[in-house]
Amino acid sequence: MYELYSRRIKNREGEPEVYEYDSFCQPFRNQMFYVLSDVFDFYKEKGLHDAWDVLHDSFARELGVKTLDSCFASGKHNVEVFVQNSSDRDFLDFLDYAFNMISRMRNVTPPYALYEDSQEQINNAFRELNYRFKQHNLGYEFVDDKLIRKDNELLHQETIKPALKLLIETGFEGAEQEFLDAFEHRRKGENKDAILDALKSFESTMKAICDGMGYSYDPAKSTAKELITILENNGFYPAYMNNHMTSLRTSLESGLPTMRNKNAGHGQGATVVNVSDEFTEYALNLAATNIVLLTKIYATKKVRGAEDAD
């Protein structure tokens, strides 16, 4: 990909780069169609299958319509018209659906001679997708086969992505899925559910650590507060971090768990409780920060334990 001169000058002059979430310009839509064409045309030209027809028919079914365009032409043509003319909301749904389909195509092994070429096409598609998001200041990124909304670039790079990476590497499948579910709820504007899943992920992370370290707890009843105490009482934290961890524990007990109790964990009564976007973003980032810290400590302790055993 190449950053055009006019864009380089624009960025160099210090024009603020503010994320956009709800508007997808025509150049971005055109670029997405090119990216899809790179993958789907490759599969069709190699005689593997017509991915355009599969994409068109399956997404039209999800929308509850017979066709994405009234002319009843080819799947590719109908998809192209839809990409050009659909509402921003429908286009975002389509983008999420189409790239999830491409992700699943990784696991459909073509004839051996084409395998590396097909994987390269798919990998290039995801690289360009994320590049185009950045190019147009769109606040999204495709991470681990999920469309993630980025509310803050620094927090996203330094907190959210490391949390996902650590959860995957350490095998905390339940916590990983709950963490992704939290961001999916956030993307849909379901803020209370986002906070609830963030807490679930944080709690699941601590439960997985207790399992790995052999710490006793009640899988059905232990709360975030109790799990923090269990980790502390078992010396999970290094001694020189006691003061820091005490402060962290106070923050957690008054932060994420309290948010769940007040905003997502109980009935809201006669008055509808609306959780603000900034409040939700704080909850997600707080959860991610603590997940990164805990999993890094856990990974270090497991490595040291293995070395001691040798």
Side-chain angles (χ1 to χ4, degrees):
M1 280 69 72
Y2 184 80
E3 185 178 23
L4 297 177
Y5 176 76
S6 59
R7 296 195 185 101
R8 299 202 304 271
I9 293 297
K10 175 181 176 181
N11 293 337
R12 192 165 63 207
E13 289 175 347
E15 183 171 325
E17 297 185 4
V18 179
Y19 283 140
E20 175 63 56
Y21 300 101
D22 303 317
S23 179
F24 301 94
C25 64
Q26 205 63 50
F28 177 74
R29 290 171 180 251
N30 293 339
Q31 288 164 341
M32 289 302 98
F33 186 74
Y34 283 126
V35 173
L36 295 176
S37 297
D38 288 342
V39 177
F40 290 171
D41 286 349
F42 171 85
Y43 272 74
K44 186 173 183 178
E45 289 168 3
K46 300 301 181 181
L48 300 176
H49 61 269
D50 193 337
W52 287 112
D53 286 344
V54 174
L55 173 62
H56 174 273
D57 293 348
S58 59
F59 185 67
R61 183 170 185 161
E62 292 301 323
L63 290 183
V65 299
K66 292 183 178 180
T67 179
L68 299 181
D69 181 47
S70 59
C71 71
F72 293 95
S74 67
K76 180 177 181 179
H77 173 79
N78 286 348
V79 168
E80 182 177 10
V81 173
F82 182 85
V83 167
Q84 297 293 317
N85 300 326
S86 58
S87 68
D88 289 316
R89 179 176 179 177
D90 284 345
F91 176 71
L92 182 61
D93 282 340
F94 170 78
L95 207 59
D96 177 59
Y97 190 89
F99 279 90
N100 268 284
M101 177 177 167
I102 291 176
S103 177
R104 295 193 300 272
M105 289 164 66
R106 294 180 194 268
N107 301 320
V108 180
T109 306
Y112 181 76
L114 298 176
Y115 179 76
E116 289 188 2
D117 288 343
S118 66
Q119 296 301 301
E120 182 179 1
Q121 291 286 346
I122 291 173
N123 291 337
N124 287 341
F126 281 105
R127 278 194 290 269
E128 182 167 355
L129 168 66
N130 286 329
Y131 173 83
R132 299 302 181 189
F133 277 142
K134 291 180 180 179
Q135 182 185 60
H136 293 278
N137 297 328
L138 294 168
Y140 298 96
E141 185 173 10
F142 226 87
V143 181
D144 299 316
D145 302 332
K146 294 285 185 179
L147 186 62
I148 300 294
R149 175 177 167 130
K150 300 193 300 182
D151 291 288
N152 179 286
E153 175 67 17
L154 179 61
L155 287 170
H156 182 76
Q157 293 295 333
E158 300 298 329
T159 303
I160 306 306
K161 290 180 72 173
L164 282 169
K165 187 172 186 291
L166 287 166
L167 287 175
I168 293 171
E169 289 186 348
T170 51
F172 296 175
E173 290 84 1
E176 176 200 356
Q177 186 57 57
E178 288 159 349
F179 193 68
L180 289 170
D181 288 345
F183 278 87
E184 179 65 12
H185 285 305
R186 174 68 188 92
R187 185 177 73 83
K188 295 178 179 178
E190 300 164 351
N191 288 349
K192 285 183 286 186
D193 289 330
I195 292 174
L196 184 58
D197 278 329
L199 175 63
K200 288 179 181 178
S201 179
F202 174 58
E203 291 177 346
S204 294
T205 299
M206 290 190 290
K207 288 179 179 179
I209 289 173
C210 287
D211 289 336
M213 300 299 298
Y215 302 155
S216 178
Y217 71 99
D218 188 333
K221 296 182 179 180
S222 292
T223 63
K225 178 179 179 179
E226 292 165 347
L227 290 165
I228 293 168
T229 301
I230 291 169
L231 294 181
E232 183 176 320
N233 290 343
N234 279 278
F236 180 72
Y237 313 125
Y240 62 82
M241 292 183 65
N242 277 345
N243 290 337
H244 170 75
M245 296 310 298
T246 298
S247 299
L248 172 61
R249 176 180 170 182
T250 301
S251 175
L252 293 175
E253 289 177 353
S254 62
L256 186 58
T258 302
M259 288 182 201
R260 190 279 300 266
N261 293 335
K262 290 184 177 179
N263 293 298
H266 302 287
Q268 59 187 359
T271 303
V272 176
V273 178
N274 293 315
V275 183
S276 68
D277 290 344
E278 59 271 19
F279 196 60
T280 305
E281 292 158 18
Y282 170 72
L284 298 186
N285 289 317
L286 180 60
T289 299
N290 292 308
I291 286 171
V292 168
L293 178 61
L294 292 174
T295 51
K296 282 187 174 181
I297 294 173
Y298 174 74
T300 300
K301 293 180 81 71
K302 296 298 286 186
V303 169
R304 289 176 180 172
E307 291 174 348
D308 293 340
D310 292 338

PDB file of all heavy atoms in Angstrom, residues 16-45:
ATOM      1  N   PRO A  16      -5.477  17.080  13.101  1.00  0.00           N
ATOM      2  CA  PRO A  16      -5.815  16.028  14.055  1.00  0.00           C
ATOM      3  C   PRO A  16      -6.482  14.842  13.386  1.00  0.00           C
ATOM      4  O   PRO A  16      -7.311  15.003  12.483  1.00  0.00           O
ATOM      5  CB  PRO A  16      -6.786  16.729  15.025  1.00  0.00           C
ATOM      6  CG  PRO A  16      -7.316  17.893  14.266  1.00  0.00           C
ATOM      7  CD  PRO A  16      -6.206  18.327  13.376  1.00  0.00           C
ATOM      8  N   GLU A  17      -6.089  13.664  13.817  1.00  0.00           N
ATOM      9  CA  GLU A  17      -6.651  12.431  13.280  1.00  0.00           C
ATOM     10  C   GLU A  17      -7.653  11.892  14.287  1.00  0.00           C
ATOM     11  O   GLU A  17      -7.298  11.324  15.300  1.00  0.00           O
ATOM     12  CB  GLU A  17      -5.544  11.409  13.006  1.00  0.00           C
ATOM     13  CG  GLU A  17      -4.562  11.870  11.949  1.00  0.00           C
ATOM     14  CD  GLU A  17      -3.561  10.806  11.606  1.00  0.00           C
ATOM     15  OE1 GLU A  17      -3.664   9.686  12.126  1.00  0.00           O
ATOM     16  OE2 GLU A  17      -2.658  11.097  10.816  1.00  0.00           O
ATOM     17  N   VAL A  18      -8.919  12.086  13.998  1.00  0.00           N
ATOM     18  CA  VAL A  18      -9.985  11.661  14.890  1.00  0.00           C
ATOM     19  C   VAL A  18     -10.668  10.454  14.280  1.00  0.00           C
ATOM     20  O   VAL A  18     -10.995  10.443  13.098  1.00  0.00           O
ATOM     21  CB  VAL A  18     -11.012  12.806  15.093  1.00  0.00           C
ATOM     22  CG1 VAL A  18     -12.131  12.358  16.011  1.00  0.00           C
ATOM     23  CG2 VAL A  18     -10.312  14.032  15.655  1.00  0.00           C
ATOM     24  N   TYR A  19     -10.895   9.435  15.092  1.00  0.00           N
ATOM     25  CA  TYR A  19     -11.520   8.226  14.583  1.00  0.00           C
ATOM     26  C   TYR A  19     -12.957   8.482  14.147  1.00  0.00           C
ATOM     27  O   TYR A  19     -13.712   9.197  14.791  1.00  0.00           O
ATOM     28  CB  TYR A  19     -11.523   7.137  15.652  1.00  0.00           C
ATOM     29  CG  TYR A  19     -10.194   6.466  15.851  1.00  0.00           C
ATOM     30  CD1 TYR A  19      -9.763   6.137  17.127  1.00  0.00           C
ATOM     31  CD2 TYR A  19      -9.384   6.134  14.776  1.00  0.00           C
ATOM     32  CE1 TYR A  19      -8.548   5.510  17.332  1.00  0.00           C
ATOM     33  CE2 TYR A  19      -8.177   5.519  14.963  1.00  0.00           C
ATOM     34  CZ  TYR A  19      -7.757   5.204  16.242  1.00  0.00           C
ATOM     35  OH  TYR A  19      -6.564   4.585  16.434  1.00  0.00           O
ATOM     36  N   GLU A  20     -13.307   7.865  13.052  1.00  0.00           N
ATOM     37  CA  GLU A  20     -14.674   7.882  12.558  1.00  0.00           C
ATOM     38  C   GLU A  20     -15.226   6.461  12.686  1.00  0.00           C
ATOM     39  O   GLU A  20     -14.536   5.486  12.412  1.00  0.00           O
ATOM     40  CB  GLU A  20     -14.696   8.340  11.095  1.00  0.00           C
ATOM     41  CG  GLU A  20     -16.056   8.272  10.449  1.00  0.00           C
ATOM     42  CD  GLU A  20     -17.050   9.217  11.124  1.00  0.00           C
ATOM     43  OE1 GLU A  20     -16.777  10.415  11.201  1.00  0.00           O
ATOM     44  OE2 GLU A  20     -18.095   8.714  11.582  1.00  0.00           O
ATOM     45  N   TYR A  21     -16.496   6.341  13.114  1.00  0.00           N
ATOM     46  CA  TYR A  21     -17.076   5.021  13.331  1.00  0.00           C
ATOM     47  C   TYR A  21     -18.323   4.769  12.494  1.00  0.00           C
ATOM     48  O   TYR A  21     -18.665   3.618  12.232  1.00  0.00           O
ATOM     49  CB  TYR A  21     -17.451   4.849  14.814  1.00  0.00           C
ATOM     50  CG  TYR A  21     -16.289   4.987  15.758  1.00  0.00           C
ATOM     51  CD1 TYR A  21     -16.084   6.167  16.458  1.00  0.00           C
ATOM     52  CD2 TYR A  21     -15.393   3.947  15.952  1.00  0.00           C
ATOM     53  CE1 TYR A  21     -15.020   6.308  17.323  1.00  0.00           C
ATOM     54  CE2 TYR A  21     -14.322   4.078  16.821  1.00  0.00           C
ATOM     55  CZ  TYR A  21     -14.143   5.260  17.513  1.00  0.00           C
ATOM     56  OH  TYR A  21     -13.076   5.387  18.355  1.00  0.00           O
ATOM     57  N   ASP A  22     -19.000   5.811  12.105  1.00  0.00           N
ATOM     58  CA  ASP A  22     -20.335   5.634  11.545  1.00  0.00           C
ATOM     59  C   ASP A  22     -20.482   6.138  10.115  1.00  0.00           C
ATOM     60  O   ASP A  22     -21.597   6.259   9.617  1.00  0.00           O
ATOM     61  CB  ASP A  22     -21.364   6.347  12.435  1.00  0.00           C
ATOM     62  CG  ASP A  22     -21.310   5.837  13.866  1.00  0.00           C
ATOM     63  OD1 ASP A  22     -21.209   4.613  14.054  1.00  0.00           O
ATOM     64  OD2 ASP A  22     -21.356   6.673  14.786  1.00  0.00           O
ATOM     65  N   SER A  23     -19.375   6.448   9.465  1.00  0.00           N
ATOM     66  CA  SER A  23     -19.456   6.949   8.099  1.00  0.00           C
ATOM     67  C   SER A  23     -18.314   6.356   7.278  1.00  0.00           C
ATOM     68  O   SER A  23     -17.150   6.480   7.653  1.00  0.00           O
ATOM     69  CB  SER A  23     -19.378   8.484   8.083  1.00  0.00           C
ATOM     70  OG  SER A  23     -19.432   8.978   6.765  1.00  0.00           O
ATOM     71  N   PHE A  24     -18.663   5.713   6.164  1.00  0.00           N
ATOM     72  CA  PHE A  24     -17.672   5.044   5.324  1.00  0.00           C
ATOM     73  C   PHE A  24     -17.706   5.669   3.934  1.00  0.00           C
ATOM     74  O   PHE A  24     -18.679   5.520   3.192  1.00  0.00           O
ATOM     75  CB  PHE A  24     -17.957   3.540   5.247  1.00  0.00           C
ATOM     76  CG  PHE A  24     -17.937   2.881   6.596  1.00  0.00           C
ATOM     77  CD1 PHE A  24     -19.106   2.708   7.310  1.00  0.00           C
ATOM     78  CD2 PHE A  24     -16.736   2.467   7.157  1.00  0.00           C
ATOM     79  CE1 PHE A  24     -19.089   2.115   8.570  1.00  0.00           C
ATOM     80  CE2 PHE A  24     -16.705   1.877   8.407  1.00  0.00           C
ATOM     81  CZ  PHE A  24     -17.886   1.703   9.119  1.00  0.00           C
ATOM     82  N   CYS A  25     -16.640   6.388   3.614  1.00  0.00           N
ATOM     83  CA  CYS A  25     -16.595   7.146   2.369  1.00  0.00           C
ATOM     84  C   CYS A  25     -16.504   6.212   1.163  1.00  0.00           C
ATOM     85  O   CYS A  25     -16.155   5.033   1.275  1.00  0.00           O
ATOM     86  CB  CYS A  25     -15.412   8.110   2.384  1.00  0.00           C
ATOM     87  SG  CYS A  25     -13.792   7.296   2.442  1.00  0.00           S
ATOM     88  N   GLN A  26     -16.802   6.774  -0.014  1.00  0.00           N
ATOM     89  CA  GLN A  26     -16.790   5.976  -1.237  1.00  0.00           C
ATOM     90  C   GLN A  26     -15.411   5.409  -1.571  1.00  0.00           C
ATOM     91  O   GLN A  26     -15.302   4.242  -1.973  1.00  0.00           O
ATOM     92  CB  GLN A  26     -17.322   6.803  -2.412  1.00  0.00           C
ATOM     93  CG  GLN A  26     -17.911   5.961  -3.536  1.00  0.00           C
ATOM     94  CD  GLN A  26     -19.119   5.161  -3.084  1.00  0.00           C
ATOM     95  OE1 GLN A  26     -20.035   5.688  -2.481  1.00  0.00           O
ATOM     96  NE2 GLN A  26     -19.116   3.863  -3.368  1.00  0.00           N
ATOM     97  N   PRO A  27     -14.321   6.165  -1.416  1.00  0.00           N
ATOM     98  CA  PRO A  27     -13.010   5.575  -1.693  1.00  0.00           C
ATOM     99  C   PRO A  27     -12.725   4.343  -0.824  1.00  0.00           C
ATOM    100  O   PRO A  27     -12.170   3.349  -1.318  1.00  0.00           O
ATOM    101  CB  PRO A  27     -12.031   6.711  -1.381  1.00  0.00           C
ATOM    102  CG  PRO A  27     -12.818   7.943  -1.654  1.00  0.00           C
ATOM    103  CD  PRO A  27     -14.213   7.626  -1.194  1.00  0.00           C
ATOM    104  N   PHE A  28     -13.108   4.390   0.446  1.00  0.00           N
ATOM    105  CA  PHE A  28     -12.893   3.226   1.322  1.00  0.00           C
ATOM    106  C   PHE A  28     -13.736   2.046   0.849  1.00  0.00           C
ATOM    107  O   PHE A  28     -13.262   0.905   0.800  1.00  0.00           O
ATOM    108  CB  PHE A  28     -13.246   3.571   2.765  1.00  0.00           C
ATOM    109  CG  PHE A  28     -13.130   2.408   3.714  1.00  0.00           C
ATOM    110  CD1 PHE A  28     -11.882   1.942   4.117  1.00  0.00           C
ATOM    111  CD2 PHE A  28     -14.265   1.771   4.182  1.00  0.00           C
ATOM    112  CE1 PHE A  28     -11.765   0.852   4.975  1.00  0.00           C
ATOM    113  CE2 PHE A  28     -14.169   0.689   5.045  1.00  0.00           C
ATOM    114  CZ  PHE A  28     -12.920   0.226   5.441  1.00  0.00           C
ATOM    115  N   ARG A  29     -14.965   2.301   0.471  1.00  0.00           N
ATOM    116  CA  ARG A  29     -15.823   1.227  -0.024  1.00  0.00           C
ATOM    117  C   ARG A  29     -15.229   0.610  -1.289  1.00  0.00           C
ATOM    118  O   ARG A  29     -15.228  -0.617  -1.464  1.00  0.00           O
ATOM    119  CB  ARG A  29     -17.233   1.762  -0.305  1.00  0.00           C
ATOM    120  CG  ARG A  29     -18.018   2.134   0.952  1.00  0.00           C
ATOM    121  CD  ARG A  29     -19.321   2.856   0.603  1.00  0.00           C
ATOM    122  NE  ARG A  29     -20.082   3.229   1.771  1.00  0.00           N
ATOM    123  CZ  ARG A  29     -21.236   2.666   2.161  1.00  0.00           C
ATOM    124  NH1 ARG A  29     -21.755   1.687   1.432  1.00  0.00           N
ATOM    125  NH2 ARG A  29     -21.869   3.072   3.238  1.00  0.00           N
ATOM    126  N   ASN A  30     -14.729   1.470  -2.186  1.00  0.00           N
ATOM    127  CA  ASN A  30     -14.102   0.955  -3.401  1.00  0.00           C
ATOM    128  C   ASN A  30     -12.896   0.086  -3.070  1.00  0.00           C
ATOM    129  O   ASN A  30     -12.687  -0.986  -3.668  1.00  0.00           O
ATOM    130  CB  ASN A  30     -13.670   2.108  -4.304  1.00  0.00           C
ATOM    131  CG  ASN A  30     -14.836   2.888  -4.867  1.00  0.00           C
ATOM    132  OD1 ASN A  30     -15.966   2.388  -4.930  1.00  0.00           O
ATOM    133  ND2 ASN A  30     -14.581   4.126  -5.261  1.00  0.00           N
ATOM    134  N   GLN A  31     -12.080   0.536  -2.134  1.00  0.00           N
ATOM    135  CA  GLN A  31     -10.895  -0.228  -1.753  1.00  0.00           C
ATOM    136  C   GLN A  31     -11.271  -1.576  -1.159  1.00  0.00           C
ATOM    137  O   GLN A  31     -10.597  -2.581  -1.394  1.00  0.00           O
ATOM    138  CB  GLN A  31     -10.054   0.583  -0.768  1.00  0.00           C
ATOM    139  CG  GLN A  31      -9.351   1.762  -1.424  1.00  0.00           C
ATOM    140  CD  GLN A  31      -8.832   2.777  -0.431  1.00  0.00           C
ATOM    141  OE1 GLN A  31      -9.263   2.827   0.719  1.00  0.00           O
ATOM    142  NE2 GLN A  31      -7.901   3.610  -0.867  1.00  0.00           N
ATOM    143  N   MET A  32     -12.355  -1.604  -0.397  1.00  0.00           N
ATOM    144  CA  MET A  32     -12.797  -2.878   0.178  1.00  0.00           C
ATOM    145  C   MET A  32     -13.235  -3.845  -0.915  1.00  0.00           C
ATOM    146  O   MET A  32     -12.998  -5.054  -0.818  1.00  0.00           O
ATOM    147  CB  MET A  32     -13.940  -2.642   1.170  1.00  0.00           C
ATOM    148  CG  MET A  32     -13.507  -1.964   2.461  1.00  0.00           C
ATOM    149  SD  MET A  32     -12.210  -2.889   3.356  1.00  0.00           S
ATOM    150  CE  MET A  32     -10.718  -2.009   2.824  1.00  0.00           C
ATOM    151  N   PHE A  33     -13.863  -3.323  -1.945  1.00  0.00           N
ATOM    152  CA  PHE A  33     -14.266  -4.208  -3.046  1.00  0.00           C
ATOM    153  C   PHE A  33     -13.041  -4.759  -3.772  1.00  0.00           C
ATOM    154  O   PHE A  33     -13.014  -5.928  -4.162  1.00  0.00           O
ATOM    155  CB  PHE A  33     -15.167  -3.463  -4.028  1.00  0.00           C
ATOM    156  CG  PHE A  33     -15.735  -4.366  -5.090  1.00  0.00           C
ATOM    157  CD1 PHE A  33     -16.754  -5.266  -4.791  1.00  0.00           C
ATOM    158  CD2 PHE A  33     -15.233  -4.336  -6.383  1.00  0.00           C
ATOM    159  CE1 PHE A  33     -17.257  -6.117  -5.769  1.00  0.00           C
ATOM    160  CE2 PHE A  33     -15.736  -5.173  -7.363  1.00  0.00           C
ATOM    161  CZ  PHE A  33     -16.754  -6.072  -7.056  1.00  0.00           C
ATOM    162  N   TYR A  34     -12.008  -3.939  -3.926  1.00  0.00           N
ATOM    163  CA  TYR A  34     -10.759  -4.436  -4.517  1.00  0.00           C
ATOM    164  C   TYR A  34     -10.152  -5.546  -3.656  1.00  0.00           C
ATOM    165  O   TYR A  34      -9.665  -6.555  -4.178  1.00  0.00           O
ATOM    166  CB  TYR A  34      -9.749  -3.294  -4.650  1.00  0.00           C
ATOM    167  CG  TYR A  34      -9.994  -2.357  -5.803  1.00  0.00           C
ATOM    168  CD1 TYR A  34     -10.094  -0.982  -5.600  1.00  0.00           C
ATOM    169  CD2 TYR A  34     -10.104  -2.828  -7.104  1.00  0.00           C
ATOM    170  CE1 TYR A  34     -10.308  -0.103  -6.649  1.00  0.00           C
ATOM    171  CE2 TYR A  34     -10.319  -1.963  -8.166  1.00  0.00           C
ATOM    172  CZ  TYR A  34     -10.427  -0.608  -7.935  1.00  0.00           C
ATOM    173  OH  TYR A  34     -10.645   0.254  -8.984  1.00  0.00           O
ATOM    174  N   VAL A  35     -10.168  -5.353  -2.345  1.00  0.00           N
ATOM    175  CA  VAL A  35      -9.580  -6.353  -1.447  1.00  0.00           C
ATOM    176  C   VAL A  35     -10.346  -7.671  -1.559  1.00  0.00           C
ATOM    177  O   VAL A  35      -9.747  -8.750  -1.663  1.00  0.00           O
ATOM    178  CB  VAL A  35      -9.589  -5.845   0.010  1.00  0.00           C
ATOM    179  CG1 VAL A  35      -9.131  -6.948   0.969  1.00  0.00           C
ATOM    180  CG2 VAL A  35      -8.689  -4.631   0.154  1.00  0.00           C
ATOM    181  N   LEU A  36     -11.675  -7.586  -1.527  1.00  0.00           N
ATOM    182  CA  LEU A  36     -12.475  -8.798  -1.670  1.00  0.00           C
ATOM    183  C   LEU A  36     -12.224  -9.471  -3.019  1.00  0.00           C
ATOM    184  O   LEU A  36     -12.151 -10.699  -3.113  1.00  0.00           O
ATOM    185  CB  LEU A  36     -13.961  -8.463  -1.526  1.00  0.00           C
ATOM    186  CG  LEU A  36     -14.419  -7.955  -0.150  1.00  0.00           C
ATOM    187  CD1 LEU A  36     -15.893  -7.570  -0.192  1.00  0.00           C
ATOM    188  CD2 LEU A  36     -14.191  -9.015   0.915  1.00  0.00           C
ATOM    189  N   SER A  37     -12.080  -8.663  -4.059  1.00  0.00           N
ATOM    190  CA  SER A  37     -11.842  -9.212  -5.396  1.00  0.00           C
ATOM    191  C   SER A  37     -10.531  -9.977  -5.456  1.00  0.00           C
ATOM    192  O   SER A  37     -10.434 -11.024  -6.124  1.00  0.00           O
ATOM    193  CB  SER A  37     -11.835  -8.090  -6.440  1.00  0.00           C
ATOM    194  OG  SER A  37     -13.086  -7.450  -6.506  1.00  0.00           O
ATOM    195  N   ASP A  38      -9.506  -9.496  -4.768  1.00  0.00           N
ATOM    196  CA  ASP A  38      -8.222 -10.193  -4.764  1.00  0.00           C
ATOM    197  C   ASP A  38      -8.377 -11.629  -4.277  1.00  0.00           C
ATOM    198  O   ASP A  38      -7.759 -12.555  -4.815  1.00  0.00           O
ATOM    199  CB  ASP A  38      -7.214  -9.460  -3.864  1.00  0.00           C
ATOM    200  CG  ASP A  38      -6.743  -8.153  -4.470  1.00  0.00           C
ATOM    201  OD1 ASP A  38      -6.907  -7.968  -5.688  1.00  0.00           O
ATOM    202  OD2 ASP A  38      -6.213  -7.313  -3.713  1.00  0.00           O
ATOM    203  N   VAL A  39      -9.196 -11.814  -3.259  1.00  0.00           N
ATOM    204  CA  VAL A  39      -9.366 -13.153  -2.681  1.00  0.00           C
ATOM    205  C   VAL A  39     -10.376 -13.969  -3.471  1.00  0.00           C
ATOM    206  O   VAL A  39     -10.089 -15.098  -3.914  1.00  0.00           O
ATOM    207  CB  VAL A  39      -9.815 -13.056  -1.203  1.00  0.00           C
ATOM    208  CG1 VAL A  39     -10.069 -14.446  -0.625  1.00  0.00           C
ATOM    209  CG2 VAL A  39      -8.764 -12.330  -0.378  1.00  0.00           C
ATOM    210  N   PHE A  40     -11.570 -13.405  -3.679  1.00  0.00           N
ATOM    211  CA  PHE A  40     -12.645 -14.197  -4.282  1.00  0.00           C
ATOM    212  C   PHE A  40     -12.389 -14.504  -5.754  1.00  0.00           C
ATOM    213  O   PHE A  40     -12.723 -15.588  -6.233  1.00  0.00           O
ATOM    214  CB  PHE A  40     -13.984 -13.472  -4.118  1.00  0.00           C
ATOM    215  CG  PHE A  40     -14.468 -13.437  -2.684  1.00  0.00           C
ATOM    216  CD1 PHE A  40     -15.564 -12.676  -2.323  1.00  0.00           C
ATOM    217  CD2 PHE A  40     -13.826 -14.166  -1.694  1.00  0.00           C
ATOM    218  CE1 PHE A  40     -16.006 -12.645  -1.003  1.00  0.00           C
ATOM    219  CE2 PHE A  40     -14.245 -14.144  -0.374  1.00  0.00           C
ATOM    220  CZ  PHE A  40     -15.344 -13.382  -0.041  1.00  0.00           C
ATOM    221  N   ASP A  41     -11.800 -13.558  -6.487  1.00  0.00           N
ATOM    222  CA  ASP A  41     -11.468 -13.831  -7.891  1.00  0.00           C
ATOM    223  C   ASP A  41     -10.389 -14.893  -7.996  1.00  0.00           C
ATOM    224  O   ASP A  41     -10.403 -15.727  -8.910  1.00  0.00           O
ATOM    225  CB  ASP A  41     -11.007 -12.547  -8.593  1.00  0.00           C
ATOM    226  CG  ASP A  41     -12.158 -11.601  -8.889  1.00  0.00           C
ATOM    227  OD1 ASP A  41     -13.316 -12.015  -8.741  1.00  0.00           O
ATOM    228  OD2 ASP A  41     -11.888 -10.439  -9.266  1.00  0.00           O
ATOM    229  N   PHE A  42      -9.447 -14.880  -7.060  1.00  0.00           N
ATOM    230  CA  PHE A  42      -8.397 -15.910  -7.046  1.00  0.00           C
ATOM    231  C   PHE A  42      -9.019 -17.298  -6.915  1.00  0.00           C
ATOM    232  O   PHE A  42      -8.679 -18.222  -7.671  1.00  0.00           O
ATOM    233  CB  PHE A  42      -7.433 -15.654  -5.889  1.00  0.00           C
ATOM    234  CG  PHE A  42      -6.450 -16.776  -5.650  1.00  0.00           C
ATOM    235  CD1 PHE A  42      -5.267 -16.850  -6.376  1.00  0.00           C
ATOM    236  CD2 PHE A  42      -6.715 -17.768  -4.718  1.00  0.00           C
ATOM    237  CE1 PHE A  42      -4.367 -17.888  -6.171  1.00  0.00           C
ATOM    238  CE2 PHE A  42      -5.824 -18.810  -4.503  1.00  0.00           C
ATOM    239  CZ  PHE A  42      -4.649 -18.865  -5.236  1.00  0.00           C
ATOM    240  N   TYR A  43      -9.934 -17.447  -5.968  1.00  0.00           N
ATOM    241  CA  TYR A  43     -10.555 -18.757  -5.758  1.00  0.00           C
ATOM    242  C   TYR A  43     -11.369 -19.179  -6.975  1.00  0.00           C
ATOM    243  O   TYR A  43     -11.361 -20.350  -7.370  1.00  0.00           O
ATOM    244  CB  TYR A  43     -11.437 -18.719  -4.507  1.00  0.00           C
ATOM    245  CG  TYR A  43     -10.684 -19.055  -3.245  1.00  0.00           C
ATOM    246  CD1 TYR A  43      -9.802 -18.145  -2.682  1.00  0.00           C
ATOM    247  CD2 TYR A  43     -10.839 -20.286  -2.621  1.00  0.00           C
ATOM    248  CE1 TYR A  43      -9.095 -18.439  -1.527  1.00  0.00           C
ATOM    249  CE2 TYR A  43     -10.130 -20.598  -1.471  1.00  0.00           C
ATOM    250  CZ  TYR A  43      -9.258 -19.673  -0.933  1.00  0.00           C
ATOM    251  OH  TYR A  43      -8.547 -19.989   0.201  1.00  0.00           O
ATOM    252  N   LYS A  44     -12.075 -18.224  -7.579  1.00  0.00           N
ATOM    253  CA  LYS A  44     -12.892 -18.565  -8.742  1.00  0.00           C
ATOM    254  C   LYS A  44     -12.026 -18.915  -9.946  1.00  0.00           C
ATOM    255  O   LYS A  44     -12.295 -19.891 -10.667  1.00  0.00           O
ATOM    256  CB  LYS A  44     -13.824 -17.398  -9.085  1.00  0.00           C
ATOM    257  CG  LYS A  44     -14.814 -17.728 -10.201  1.00  0.00           C
ATOM    258  CD  LYS A  44     -15.829 -16.616 -10.389  1.00  0.00           C
ATOM    259  CE  LYS A  44     -16.855 -16.984 -11.455  1.00  0.00           C
ATOM    260  NZ  LYS A  44     -17.873 -15.927 -11.624  1.00  0.00           N
ATOM    261  N   GLU A  45     -10.960 -18.138 -10.168  1.00  0.00           N
ATOM    262  CA  GLU A  45     -10.084 -18.390 -11.310  1.00  0.00           C
ATOM    263  C   GLU A  45      -9.371 -19.739 -11.197  1.00  0.00           C
ATOM    264  O   GLU A  45      -9.071 -20.383 -12.207  1.00  0.00           O
ATOM    265  CB  GLU A  45      -9.047 -17.272 -11.430  1.00  0.00           C
ATOM    266  CG  GLU A  45      -9.648 -15.943 -11.891  1.00  0.00           C
ATOM    267  CD  GLU A  45      -8.676 -14.797 -11.717  1.00  0.00           C
ATOM    268  OE1 GLU A  45      -7.522 -15.057 -11.300  1.00  0.00           O
ATOM    269  OE2 GLU A  45      -9.067 -13.646 -11.982  1.00  0.00           O
TER     270      GLU A  45
END
